[in-house]
Structures are given as structure tokens and as C-alpha cells.
């Protein structure tokens, strides 16, 4: 009798397990998608896990496993493991005709294009003994663009520009383009006082000026790393500088052209909104681990495209003698050159710029991290 009961139980177990194995994935789907398609470094977003069971059969335990970058820092990472990638492992119970949605909060730690293309579903039979594995294709993509450097941090660079560099903000004024008057503030120079208007209005008034957009700016980004080994901190700062300059100039109506050399050669030119959007995507994905050419070769290739009235802003941490010679040749082709050189510290020994000519020294701005 005991043997017969055991055989019956084994038969029931095999039948139920076979039925579950055959039908558990029927009318059942799992989707992964990010709450936004684009974000900036430091932003917090959600990854949605959505499971839909369109049949009567209950799924007592479904484990959703997927891998993504370790640069997306999920809250509660005890449910995953971190190595070069982050491997998430979430268990949910889905009843018949039920939809379950989970929000996984994370923070974007580094720029890049992040994709989740596959997930693994693991379920168990009614007795939680036999596992069943099924792989599904998913399509979750997120573009994390570089962070912006504040305008205050960029002011030292702006001061190295021509005094007549065009903009609609009062950093670069054309003192000959008179527009009107306004009340005097302690920051105003006495030379700007409008004497007739002050006498007429009974209070100090100063002249205001108009701004134009006549001088185009070319932003060149060289991602050749100084030294033998790639200095990631400096390279990332170079990318942030390029994005911040493009954003600032384009947002203030200054005609801007952007060229870069990293793992590929990039050229962007267009209206302000298109320029910012394009640069945001390009700089999110550009790499510097396999630079397609050296900095001096990059400049030589661009020389024929320069115009005399342009102001070139070169961002390059690499600056040995061949690079300096190429920059000097560029200085004969354009109105002005500003070389922004990201360095780890302004006080540290710098092998790249140990010996520089007076011409290079005048246009060089070291950007300390």
C-alpha cells in the first residue's frame, strides 16, 4: 500500500511538473524599460520590470535575471552582484490574469550608452524542486550624457577670449554698440555713467550695450591621453569641458562648430538646439581607449577648414612638442586660439608642458581638476 501511494505521488508530481513546464511561459511576458531615454550623470531614474500573466495558471515564483553596467548604481544592491557588470536577480509571484510591475531606482554614475538586450526567467514547479529556465529578448536603452561644468568654473577660460567675442550675456560687451541706460550699481565703472541721463533722471544712470554674434567659435576636442597609460580622470574632464562649452555658446546664440577625435572622428555643425542635442549624444558614447590619430595629425587635417575670423578653443591634455608646433601653425590661420589643457592639478609636475614657446604660453589655459 505504501509503495502504491508512493507511485501515485510520483506520478502526480511528474504530471504536474510536466504540465507546468509545458505551459508556464504561455501567455506570459516580462518587459524591462527605463523611465527615461536620456539622463545626465548624477540623475536618479527607474528601471521598470513588468510581468503580465494572461492565463489562469498561477506562477508562484519567477526569478528575473539580467545584467547591466556597474555605472548604474541600483538601490538595494543586495539583490544583485557587482563585478565589471551589475547582475540583478529579482523574484516575484504572479497570479493568474495578473500584472506585476516593479520600480528599481538607480543613479547614473558615468556617461555612456547602456543597453539591456536579454533577460533570463527562472521558474520552479509547484513543489519548488525543478527549475525551468527561459531566455527572452528585451529592449531597454538609456543614454547618459556628460555632466555640465558650472559657468563659474568656466569664467577663467572666458577671460582668455577676445574682448569682442559675441554673446547675449554681459561677459563680452561691445562698448561701441550703445543700446540704452539703466540704474548704476557698485559693480559698474564710472566711465560708463551717462551724465545727461543721470542729470535728467536725478539718479546715476549707466550706458548699456547690445551684443552680436559675429565671431564663430570652433571647439576642438583631442582625446589623445598624455603619457603612456590612459588617464581616465583627465579624459572625462575633457569631455565635460567640451559639452559645457558647446552648451553655453549654443544656448547664447553663438555660431559653433565642434570637431573631435577619439575612437572616431566627429564633426557637428548646426543650429543651437540641434547642436546641443547632437553633441550630448556623441559625447555620451565617444571612447578614448583607441584614438584614431594623434593630436598633431588631427590639427593638420582640420587646418584647411578654418576661416580667418574664427576663434578656436582646443581642448587637449596631450601637449608635447609636435602638438605645440601644430598649434602654432593653427595660430596663423585663425583670429585667435585658446588651448585648454585639463590637468590633474595645477601644482603638479607636468611633463606635457614642461617646455613651451612664448606663443603657446599666451594661449594656454591649464584646467586643474
Amino acid at each position: 500500500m505504501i509503495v502504491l501511494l508512493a507511485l501515485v505521488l510520483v506520478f502526480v508530481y511528474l504530471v504536474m511538473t510536466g504540465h507546468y513546464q509545458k505551459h508556464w511561459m504561455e501567455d506570459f511576458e516580462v518587459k524591462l524599460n527605463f523611465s527615461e531615454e536620456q539622463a545626465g550623470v548624477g540623475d536618479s531614474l527607474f528601471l521598470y520590470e513588468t510581468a503580465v500573466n494572461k492565463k489562469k495558471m498561477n506562477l508562484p515564483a519567477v526569478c528575473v535575471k539580467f545584467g547591466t553596467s556597474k555605472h548604474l548604481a541600483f538601490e538595494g544592491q543586495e539583490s544583485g552582484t557587482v563585478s565589471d557588470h551589475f547582475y540583478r536577480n529579482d523574484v516575484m509571484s504572479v497570479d493568474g490574469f495578473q500584472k506585476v510591475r516593479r520600480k528599481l531606482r538607480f543613479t547614473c554614475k558615468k556617461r555612456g550608452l547602456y543597453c539591456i538586450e536579454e533577460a533570463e526567467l527562472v521558474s520552479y514547479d509547484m513543489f519548488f524542486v525543478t527549475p525551468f529556465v527561459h531566455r527572452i529578448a528585451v529592449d531597454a536603452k538609456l543614454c547618459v550624457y556628460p555632466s555640465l561644468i558650472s559657468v563659474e568654473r568656466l569664467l577663467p577660460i572666458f577671460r582668455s577670449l577676445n574682448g569682442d567675442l559675441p554673446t547675449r550675456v554681459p561677459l563680452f560687451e561691445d562698448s561701441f554698440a550703445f543700446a540704452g541706460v539703466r540704474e548704476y550699481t557698485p559693480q559698474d565703472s564710472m566711465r560708463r555713467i551717462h551724465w545727461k541721463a543721470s542729470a535728467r533722471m536725478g539718479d546715476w544712470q549707466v550706458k548699456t550695450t547690445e551684443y552680436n554674434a559675429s565671431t564663430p567659435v570652433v571647439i576642438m576636442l583631442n582625446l589623445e591621453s598624455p603619457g603612456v597609460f590612459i588617464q581616465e580622470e583627465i579624459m572625462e574632464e575633457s569631455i565635460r569641458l567640451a559639452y559645457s562649452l558647446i552648451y553655453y555658446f549654443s544656448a547664447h546664440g553663438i555660431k559653433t562648430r565642434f570637431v573631435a577625435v577619439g575612437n572616431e572622428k566627429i564633426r557637428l555643425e548646426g543650429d543651437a538646439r540641434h547642436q546641443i542635442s547632437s553633441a550630448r549624444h556623441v559625447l555620451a558614447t565617444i571612447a578614448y581607449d583607441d584614438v584614431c590619430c594623434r593630436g598633431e595629425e588631427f590639427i593638420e587635417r582640420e587646418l584647411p577648414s578654418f576661416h580667418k575670423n574664427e576663434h578656436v578653443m582646443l581642448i587637449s591634455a596631450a601637449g608635447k612638442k609636435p602638438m605645440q608646433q601644430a598649434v602654432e601653425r593653427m595660430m596663423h590661420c585663425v583670429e585667435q586660439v585658446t588651448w585648454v589643457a585639463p590637468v590633474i592639478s595645477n601644482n603638479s609636475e607636468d611633463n606635457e608642458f614642461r617646455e613651451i614657446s612664448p606663443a603657446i604660453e599666451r594661449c594656454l589655459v591649464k584646467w586643474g581638476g
Side-chain angles (χ1 to χ4, degrees):
M1 187 65 182
I2 296 177
V3 174
L4 181 61
L5 180 61
L7 290 174
V8 170
L9 291 175
V10 170
F11 177 76
V12 171
Y13 168 75
L14 292 176
V15 171
M16 293 183 66
T17 300
H19 178 77
Y20 189 89
Q21 181 179 10
K22 184 178 180 180
H23 297 287
W24 76 279
M25 276 301 300
E26 287 183 2
D27 297 320
F28 176 67
E29 61 181 24
V30 174
K31 295 182 179 179
L32 300 178
N33 61 284
F34 293 105
S35 57
E36 302 287 345
E37 294 181 353
Q38 298 184 27
V41 174
D43 289 350
S44 292
L45 303 177
F46 292 98
L47 176 66
Y48 295 122
E49 289 181 348
T50 307
V52 181
N53 188 9
K54 301 178 183 179
K55 59 182 179 297
K56 187 176 180 179
M57 177 190 292
N58 295 339
L59 304 178
V62 178
C63 181
V64 182
K65 299 182 178 182
F66 62 90
T68 185
S69 172
K70 65 180 180 180
H71 300 302
L72 303 181
F74 284 84
E75 293 182 357
Q77 289 191 348
E78 61 275 4
S79 62
T81 57
V82 179
S83 54
D84 289 340
H85 291 80
F86 174 72
Y87 298 94
R88 186 85 190 186
N89 189 353
D90 294 303
V91 180
M92 61 179 69
S93 176
V94 188
D95 294 335
F97 303 108
Q98 185 185 27
K99 178 180 179 179
V100 177
R101 192 187 199 195
R102 287 186 173 177
K103 294 197 309 182
L104 309 177
R105 189 182 182 90
F106 66 92
T107 302
C108 306
K109 295 295 185 181
K110 188 178 180 182
R111 67 175 184 90
L113 181 63
Y114 301 103
C115 303
I116 305 175
E117 299 177 338
E118 185 182 73
E120 185 179 88
L121 307 182
V122 181
S123 189
Y124 294 86
D125 58 45
M126 298 298 181
F127 303 95
F128 291 91
V129 175
T130 306
F132 307 111
V133 180
H134 186 80
R135 286 183 171 84
I136 61 171
V138 294
D139 185 21
K141 294 181 180 179
L142 173 65
C143 181
V144 179
Y145 46 81
S147 57
L148 285 170
I149 300 174
S150 65
V151 173
E152 288 75 14
R153 291 195 64 199
L154 290 173
L155 287 177
I157 293 180
F158 290 144
R159 293 192 189 103
S160 70
L161 302 177
N162 278 345
D164 60 352
L165 183 70
T167 180
R168 291 200 299 267
V169 295
L171 283 175
F172 317 104
E173 296 191 7
D174 180 0
S175 57
F176 296 100
F178 175 70
V181 295
R182 60 169 173 80
E183 291 186 3
Y184 172 84
T185 65
Q187 289 76 31
D188 291 319
S189 169
M190 293 292 291
R191 290 179 297 178
R192 297 183 59 184
I193 292 178
H194 194 294
W195 299 103
K196 291 184 178 180
S198 299
R200 184 174 64 251
M201 301 181 70
D203 200 359
W204 292 117
Q205 302 291 313
V206 295
K207 300 173 185 177
T208 61
T209 55
E210 293 178 340
Y211 310 100
N212 53 70
S214 59
T215 305
V217 176
V218 180
I219 299 172
M220 299 184 68
L221 174 61
N222 174 34
L223 290 175
E224 177 190 359
S225 182
V228 178
F229 302 103
I230 294 176
Q231 300 185 40
E232 185 171 331
E233 179 183 350
I234 289 180
M235 295 295 97
E236 290 298 324
E237 186 72 358
S238 299
I239 291 172
R240 286 190 290 268
L241 272 169
Y243 177 49
S244 301
L245 288 171
I246 294 170
Y247 186 94
Y248 187 87
F249 288 141
S250 298
H252 289 84
I254 301 172
K255 186 178 179 182
T256 307
R257 188 168 82 251
F258 173 60
V259 286
V261 59
N263 56 334
E264 58 182 323
K265 190 178 177 184
I266 297 161
R267 183 184 303 276
L268 297 175
E269 188 170 9
D271 59 78
R273 181 175 298 179
H274 179 265
Q275 181 84 322
I276 293 172
S277 177
S278 300
R280 177 180 294 173
H281 181 79
V282 164
L283 291 174
T285 58
I286 192 171
Y288 42 77
D289 51 356
D290 187 19
V291 179
C292 64
C293 67
R294 300 183 64 86
E296 56 269 21
E297 297 171 355
F298 172 43
I299 292 176
E300 293 293 342
R301 290 180 185 180
E302 292 299 320
L303 284 180
S305 67
F306 291 138
H307 301 286
K308 189 65 179 178
N309 68 324
E310 290 178 324
H311 186 120
V312 176
M313 298 197 69
L314 170 66
I315 302 172
S316 175
K320 287 196 166 67
K321 203 64 177 178
M323 184 69 177
Q324 295 180 29
Q325 292 170 348
V327 172
E328 288 186 0
R329 287 191 289 274
M330 181 169 62
M331 294 171 71
H332 294 292
C333 299
V334 297
E335 184 171 301
Q336 187 166 337
V337 174
T338 301
W339 183 350
V340 186
V343 295
I344 294 178
S345 171
N346 279 322
N347 299 321
S348 62
E349 183 179 354
D350 193 342
N351 294 323
E352 293 291 311
F353 301 96
R354 182 172 293 176
E355 296 180 1
I356 58 177
S357 67
I360 294 296
E361 189 172 10
R362 285 193 300 270
C363 75
L364 182 65
V365 179
K366 289 188 178 181
W367 183 263

